Amino acid sequence: MRKCPTFEGFYEAVNDREPFPWQSRLAEQVAHSGWPALVGVPTGLGKSSCLDIAVWALATQAHLQAVERVAPTRLWWVVNRRLLVDNTYEHAEKIAGLLREATTGPLHAVADRLRLLGGEVPLQVIRLRGGVSGDQPASPVQAAVICSTIPMYGSRLLFRGYGSSRSTRPIDAALAYTDSLVICDEAHLAPHLVELVSQTADLDSGIAGPVLPGGRHRPRIVALTATGDTGVERFDLDNRDREHPLISKRLETPKPVRIVIHDPTKNVAKPVADEVEELLADRLGSSCLVFVNTPATARAVIQRLNMVSVRKRLDHPEVVMLTGRMREREAEAARRAVLKGMRAGASSTRRKRTLIVVATQTLEVGADLDAQFMVTEACGVRALTQRLGRVNRLGKHPETGAVYVHAPPPPRKGDEPRWAVYGTEPNRVIERLRAEWDSSRTVDLSPACLGESVLGHPADDPGRSPTLSMPLLHEWAQTTNETPGEAPVDPFFNGISEPRWTVQVIWRAHLPDDSERIWPAPNDREAIELSLPEVRAALAGLVDKTRWVVDGVARSATVDREGLPDLTPGQLLILESSVGKMDNFGWNPKADAPVVDMSILSHGLPLNRKAINNLYPESDLPVDPEDVTTAAGYREDGEPFDTGDRQDATRRLIESVTNRPPAGYGPDEWNDLIEDLHPVPRSGRDEVPRLRRRTIPGRVRYELFDELSTTGTTGLDQHGEETAELAGEYARKLGIDEQTAQVVEKGARLHDIGKADPRFQRWLYGDDPPNGLLAKSHTPHHLWQRHRAQAGWPKGGRHEALSGRLITAWLEAKTPSPASEQGDLLTHLVMSHHGHGRPMIHPIHDSTGVGVTVTLLIEGDAVTAEGDLTTVDWEQPRRFISLNHHYGHWGLALLETIVRQADWIASGPRTEVR
């Protein structure tokens, strides 16, 4: 085994520079004694290197036996700002790419060591934000970095993952809790999440003891903030750091801030825009950040800066807006402009045009920007500290400065003014600034001068959060059902003083028929996260003008004056593109132009008449509608078109749309799509046929409904053995005790035995009976439901119910009978391998099940069970309660995860893990 390189060698190989002294010191501490509770290094000094430290620290222990290792397999980087999620994700992707490609040196040594953990690649990187991504680490042993917003992590922790399906919620919970290091970046924005993790640890008390050794059975949380609590174990700079030339320069470079006070006003955009104009009028070719507190104010400031007189005075500046209400496509274009002109460390060559970036809190933290000037709306102490961290960040600008605009909103009934987001705290901030300003109303707010000596201690009040209890936790752990009126999870990680009820919105040109699942699966690049009330208000009055998809499944939705009343926090809403409600600056309820369907750019052109009509108005339709139907491949009766006719229709279709981008699509991105289209239409289960892209970006994708194999016909015994081999390997690499690992392995081997039902077998093989029992079928997608009906298998029937019934009969006949916990665990792992059985598998009407029996050999014993799926296993809820008590809620979920992810990998297909 290769010797692990020093942290300094690894860091320099990744970043092309030596680490700061504090970074090396922290890495040494982590390797020898673990992480501190708080890393309080000031902004601008590379706190994001904690990611590098975590990856390196895992590599130092990767060679150890699982029972000896304490370094967690997964790093969750959690922060309440989408841009910072993106920045960290890009850095993590860089590390992962370097590790994948390395053939020599420190990177190769770290990659080799990480591969010992059992993952498919040295390091997998995932981004979770916007509430729609279903990505997960490829297996429970895969070393991974997951960059996540607070709601995405907190909801997963509590078995109610935003963007997770009901089926995958237990997996997401297990991977969020067990074997995880949680670095909470800008932790002052997430006090409730930090408290929540502590509360979950107090409730995680399975009587069998920890499922994983070395403290890896529960998360280790590390707060990362320059304005954090000093009452905990804190890692900070020492004298050696302060003497470092780069650090001392960044800490001591003056940052003069001029204070401007206005009378109370409802239109804060005007004084902010006026100050920007005055500040930059004689400084053409500079860069300026403009911070405001709400997206509405940002739009209003942009409108004033784009006035003809202002643009002329500033010599036609480049004006960019960036808020959290933008999709990835539009935000990416804005970020490129921002980073091109303001990235820290970039060339200081004078710009030809002034760059003005108007932003909300999305740029406040973490963004590695270095602007010359700043104008900021009044805010709180922490926010002002973070905003100043984006100005002259590296101390290289010869001319710099900022303006703080105190323009309070009109007070209500004599009360002191209250700002959006910051409440009354700006009133305290202006008092402190008044006490410090000079005759020109200017205060030096360099990092060395900040803190209690000038601004004082932050006066923000995050409010309180509810206390987590065992009954609540058990209620959420029942992921098969949602209890009517159950407690929402949001207050536990966001607090209850100002609950942030949000939903995620995306746009698609094609929406499926009612009860069909949308494809391709929504991803985080498409989504905007919005408050629930404003979405309801924006959609009010759109009755009969569009169709809706909620949580990925099409269904009719009743709309009244309040919008969609049945829409609940955390859900995903998919709108038809023709609805509008978005422009180049993001969410805009007044916009009525069609919205670009980003799934087309990534996955190809849907062969559906309505989708084509949504892309092109009928007056501008470039294609023959009949060509769309013919290229799709199948008539309404399910019979295929002639292959030659399909090829001709496809060719004409591609020729028709080449160089004809629909409204909103750029010519370059559209032509890139057309050039990459595969000429043969393809479709999968529950999806409309498409001309797909040859190269589809993405990560591991599994066929969750694994009866329908895309890898060909597979025997039942073969699939069971392949799944068992993987599950046993995962369990032992994680350090699960041998007795439990054997039960997990057996559960994986037997998980699909319910497919031995004669009706299920007829469904799989159709008119071509095989030799032996099948687990998978290569039946064409369009014939799948027809074969099911002909075979007599009831719609919605769960083969796991029969698997559990066979296991129960086998265990009852065993002499001597296994320990009750082992028998219960084996039965539960089999019954829950598609996410059901928590706590029960629901019965269905089974008109063909009476008199059907399933007979199978299990380890040489002949076992028979009734096939009627109307019958309920009322013992399963008891098993579920008992197993949660025995292994803990997250421990049991982890054991399920081992079986289920092994099943997915054995089932395939997969694309490259990244």
Side-chain angles (χ1 to χ4, degrees):
M1 168 44 40
R2 292 176 180 272
K3 182 180 179 181
C4 191
T6 63
F7 171 72
E8 289 77 11
F10 172 68
Y11 183 89
E12 190 167 357
V14 170
N15 300 284
D16 295 323
R17 62 179 181 271
E18 295 180 353
F20 285 141
W22 77 262
Q23 294 167 332
S24 295
R25 184 160 46 89
L26 178 59
E28 183 178 0
Q29 175 178 325
V30 169
H32 289 90
S33 56
W35 286 88
L38 171 67
V39 177
V41 174
T43 186
L45 298 182
K47 289 197 298 297
S48 60
S49 63
C50 289
L51 191 154
D52 307 58
I53 293 171
V55 173
W56 172 80
L58 177 58
T60 65
Q61 296 187 17
H63 67 288
L64 298 177
Q65 294 294 318
V67 295
E68 300 174 315
R69 177 163 62 89
V70 297
T73 303
R74 287 174 293 282
L75 164 63
W76 288 82
W77 190 283
V78 182
V79 62
N80 211 22
R81 292 290 182 268
R82 287 178 58 169
L83 182 65
L84 188 49
V85 169
D86 293 342
N87 286 350
T88 308
Y89 172 79
E90 290 172 4
H91 183 56
E93 279 274 68
K94 174 185 175 182
I95 295 175
L98 290 171
L99 292 175
R100 282 196 305 270
E101 302 299 326
T103 57
T104 59
L107 292 171
H108 188 210
V110 168
D112 273 0
R113 296 177 72 86
L114 292 179
R115 286 190 180 97
L116 293 175
L117 298 173
E120 296 189 24
V121 293
L123 185 69
Q124 184 180 356
V125 180
I126 293 168
R127 174 171 50 188
L128 296 176
R129 60 166 177 72
V132 296
S133 176
D135 280 347
Q136 299 157 328
S139 72
V141 299
Q142 173 65 62
V145 174
I146 306 104
C147 304
S148 170
T149 56
I150 288 173
M152 292 291 276
Y153 176 75
S155 61
R156 278 162 171 71
L157 191 69
L158 297 179
F159 292 89
R160 285 295 180 270
Y162 294 169
S164 302
S165 67
R166 290 192 185 186
S167 168
T168 58
R169 283 174 174 175
I171 298 175
D172 288 333
L175 298 179
Y177 186 86
T178 64
D179 213 2
S180 293
L181 169 68
V182 182
I183 293 184
C184 192
D185 198 0
E186 305 302 340
H188 59 278
L189 300 174
H192 306 299
L193 180 67
V194 175
E195 175 62 23
L196 173 63
V197 174
S198 174
Q199 291 182 30
T200 58
D202 292 338
L203 295 177
D204 180 31
S205 55
I207 62 173
V211 172
L212 294 182
R216 293 186 290 114
H217 62 292
R218 60 181 53 162
R220 172 74 167 103
I221 190 162
V222 177
L224 203 63
T225 177
T227 57
D229 183 8
T230 57
V232 297
E233 177 195 2
R234 179 184 177 115
F235 180 93
D236 215 331
L237 302 181
D238 63 10
N239 290 333
R240 183 184 170 201
D241 295 309
R242 295 184 180 90
E243 293 169 358
H244 190 280
L246 286 180
I247 293 179
S248 62
K249 183 178 182 179
R250 295 180 188 182
L251 291 177
E252 297 172 6
T253 298
K255 293 189 180 183
V257 180
R258 182 167 57 89
I259 316 302
V260 177
I261 300 178
H262 288 262
D263 292 333
T265 176
K266 291 183 179 180
N267 182 18
V268 69
K270 183 180 185 304
V272 170
D274 289 347
E275 293 300 332
V276 173
E277 182 180 358
E278 288 301 315
L279 180 66
L280 301 180
D282 299 322
R283 297 182 171 99
L284 303 182
S286 59
S287 60
C288 180
L289 275 173
V290 183
F291 281 109
V292 294
N293 297 340
T294 68
T297 302
R299 280 186 177 273
V301 170
I302 289 282
Q303 289 174 355
R304 297 194 65 85
L305 292 177
N306 282 331
M307 293 172 57
V308 174
S309 59
V310 177
R311 292 188 62 80
K312 185 176 180 180
R313 187 180 182 194
L314 298 182
D315 195 22
H316 304 285
E318 180 182 2
V319 182
V320 178
M321 183 172 118
L322 189 59
T323 74
R325 298 186 179 190
M326 302 173 74
R327 294 189 307 181
E328 182 64 20
R329 176 175 178 267
E330 290 74 26
E332 194 173 75
R335 283 200 302 272
R336 281 198 299 266
V338 173
L339 293 174
K340 182 179 179 181
M342 292 187 184
R343 184 188 290 274
S347 171
S348 59
T349 304
R350 186 178 179 84
R351 297 174 51 84
K352 294 181 180 180
R353 296 170 63 196
T354 299
L355 173 63
I356 304 173
V357 178
V358 183
T360 54
Q361 295 87 347
T362 190
L363 278 181
E364 206 171 79
V365 296
D368 195 15
L369 303 180
D370 189 12
Q372 289 174 261
F373 301 99
M374 180 186 77
V375 175
T376 176
E377 182 182 356
C379 58
V381 171
R382 299 187 199 276
L384 182 55
T385 301
Q386 296 296 339
R387 293 176 183 188
L388 286 166
R390 315 307 131 202
V391 182
N392 203 14
R393 187 174 178 86
L394 304 182
K396 293 184 177 180
H397 295 302
E399 185 180 20
T400 187
V403 180
Y404 182 88
V405 180
H406 183 83
R412 296 181 179 179
K413 297 181 180 180
D415 294 336
E416 63 177 329
R418 295 186 65 87
W419 276 256
V421 181
Y422 301 104
T424 61
E425 190 181 9
N427 297 317
R428 312 286 87 75
V429 172
I430 194 64
E431 291 176 3
R432 296 163 187 167
L433 292 175
R434 282 177 183 270
E436 297 291 335
W437 71 30
D438 59 21
S439 58
S440 64
R441 294 191 173 186
T442 300
V443 181
D444 178 18
L445 293 179
S446 66
C449 296
L450 279 174
E452 295 187 13
S453 60
V454 176
L455 294 181
H457 190 73
D460 54 329
D461 180 11
R464 63 187 184 88
S465 57
T467 300
L468 186 63
S469 65
M470 186 63 79
L472 278 176
L473 179 58
H474 188 66
E475 181 177 82
W476 292 326
Q478 298 178 57
T479 52
T480 303
N481 312 314
E482 287 189 21
T483 307
E486 73 173 19
V489 296
D490 185 271
F492 290 82
F493 46 80
N494 277 334
I496 60 177
S497 58
E498 293 185 14
R500 284 166 273 181
W501 306 120
T502 62
V503 294
Q504 290 72 41
V505 181
I506 71 172
W507 288 258
R508 289 287 178 89
H510 171 261
L511 298 185
D513 295 331
D514 284 357
S515 299
E516 289 184 347
R517 187 163 294 278
I518 196 164
W519 191 94
N523 64 68
D524 60 344
R525 295 177 62 84
E526 298 181 83
I528 297 179
E529 187 170 14
L530 301 165
S531 76
L532 182 56
E534 69 178 322
V535 171
R536 283 177 171 165
L539 299 182
L542 289 177
V543 186
D544 298 329
K545 292 185 179 180
T546 186
R547 295 179 55 248
W548 321 90
V549 173
V550 178
D551 276 354
V553 178
R555 58 188 174 94
S556 300
T558 303
V559 185
D560 61 15
R561 289 180 301 172
E562 298 298 325
L564 286 167
D566 58 343
L567 195 62
T568 59
Q571 284 188 317
L572 167 68
L573 178 66
I574 306 179
L575 304 178
E576 216 164 62
S577 298
S578 58
V579 173
K581 307 299 180 187
M582 197 189 77
D583 58 24
N584 287 336
F585 288 149
W587 174 255
N588 180 5
K590 297 180 180 179
D592 55 10
V595 180
V596 168
D597 177 352
M598 290 179 60
S599 74
I600 291 177
L601 295 174
S602 59
H603 284 79
L605 193 66
L607 298 178
N608 174 274
R609 288 192 180 190
K610 190 170 184 180
I612 298 296
N613 286 334
N614 278 333
L615 292 173
Y616 295 96
E618 290 190 15
S619 59
D620 192 36
L621 193 64
V623 302
D624 183 343
E626 290 301 322
D627 282 343
V628 177
T629 302
T630 305
Y634 294 97
R635 308 174 196 273
E636 291 184 3
D637 61 4
E639 293 302 316
F641 280 104
D642 178 76
T643 301
D645 291 342
R646 292 186 66 195
Q647 292 176 346
D648 290 342
T650 300
R651 176 182 52 78
R652 289 192 298 269
L653 183 60
I654 292 177
E655 290 175 353
S656 298
V657 298
T658 299
N659 298 320
R660 293 289 302 276
Y665 293 81
D668 290 340
E669 65 182 358
W670 184 257
N671 290 333
D672 176 66
L673 163 69
I674 299 304
E675 290 175 2
D676 195 42
L677 288 180
H678 195 286
V680 178
R682 288 178 287 176
S683 63
R685 183 175 180 178
D686 292 340
E687 73 177 75
V688 65
R690 284 184 180 242
L691 291 176
R692 292 199 202 175
R693 299 198 72 153
R694 291 185 177 90
T695 55
I696 299 178
R699 291 183 181 76
V700 181
R701 304 304 305 176
Y702 301 95
E703 177 60 71
L704 300 185
F705 303 95
D706 65 350
E707 297 86 4
L708 188 60
S709 175
T710 58
T711 57
T713 301
T714 305
L716 188 61
D717 288 342
Q718 176 189 348
H719 177 62
E721 289 301 325
E722 291 172 352
T723 305
E725 182 179 354
L726 285 170
E729 177 185 344
Y730 293 163
R732 292 175 178 92
K733 281 186 175 295
L734 287 171
I736 290 172
D737 70 89
E738 182 58 28
Q739 190 176 59
T740 304
Q742 289 178 11
V743 177
V744 169
E745 189 172 20
K746 184 171 293 186
R749 180 175 292 108
L750 301 176
H751 72 282
D752 267 348
I753 58 176
K755 292 180 180 180
D757 185 295
R759 298 167 297 172
F760 204 99
Q761 287 297 302
R762 287 196 298 270
W763 181 15
L764 290 175
Y765 64 66
D767 298 325
D768 185 21
N771 293 322
L773 298 173
L774 295 181
K776 312 288 178 187
S777 171
H778 65 279
T779 300
H781 291 71
H782 71 286
L783 297 177
W784 187 241
Q785 292 303 327
R786 181 191 299 181
H787 280 199
R788 179 197 58 75
Q790 291 174 346
W793 182 261
K795 186 175 183 178
R798 304 306 315 176
H799 68 270
E800 310 97 286
L802 295 185
S803 296
R805 202 173 294 173
L806 287 163
I807 293 292
T808 300
W810 178 57
L811 292 173
E812 290 174 349
K814 291 287 286 184
T815 304
S817 59
S820 59
E821 291 83 7
Q822 295 179 37
D824 282 352
L825 178 60
L826 176 62
T827 307
H828 176 77
L829 292 177
V830 166
M831 295 184 68
S832 65
H833 81 268
H834 277 300
H836 297 268
R838 297 177 61 88
M840 62 185 295
I841 295 179
H842 294 291
I844 61 164
H845 176 66
D846 187 359
S847 60
T848 65
V850 178
V852 174
T853 58
V854 183
T855 301
L856 193 71
L857 283 176
I858 302 179
E859 295 188 358
D861 300 322
V863 181
T864 300
E866 297 298 321
D868 185 3
L869 294 178
T870 308
T871 305
V872 180
D873 182 354
W874 292 109
E875 275 293 293
Q876 179 58 15
R878 178 205 58 79
R879 291 187 202 101
F880 181 67
I881 294 173
S882 175
L883 291 169
N884 276 292
H885 180 61
H886 191 77
Y887 295 102
H889 292 82
W890 291 278
L892 178 62
L894 177 63
L895 299 178
E896 295 173 31
T897 298
I898 294 171
V899 172
R900 296 183 63 189
Q901 290 198 311
D903 183 21
W904 292 356
I905 291 179
S907 298
R910 291 167 294 168
T911 57
E912 178 186 3
V913 178
R914 299 177 61 193

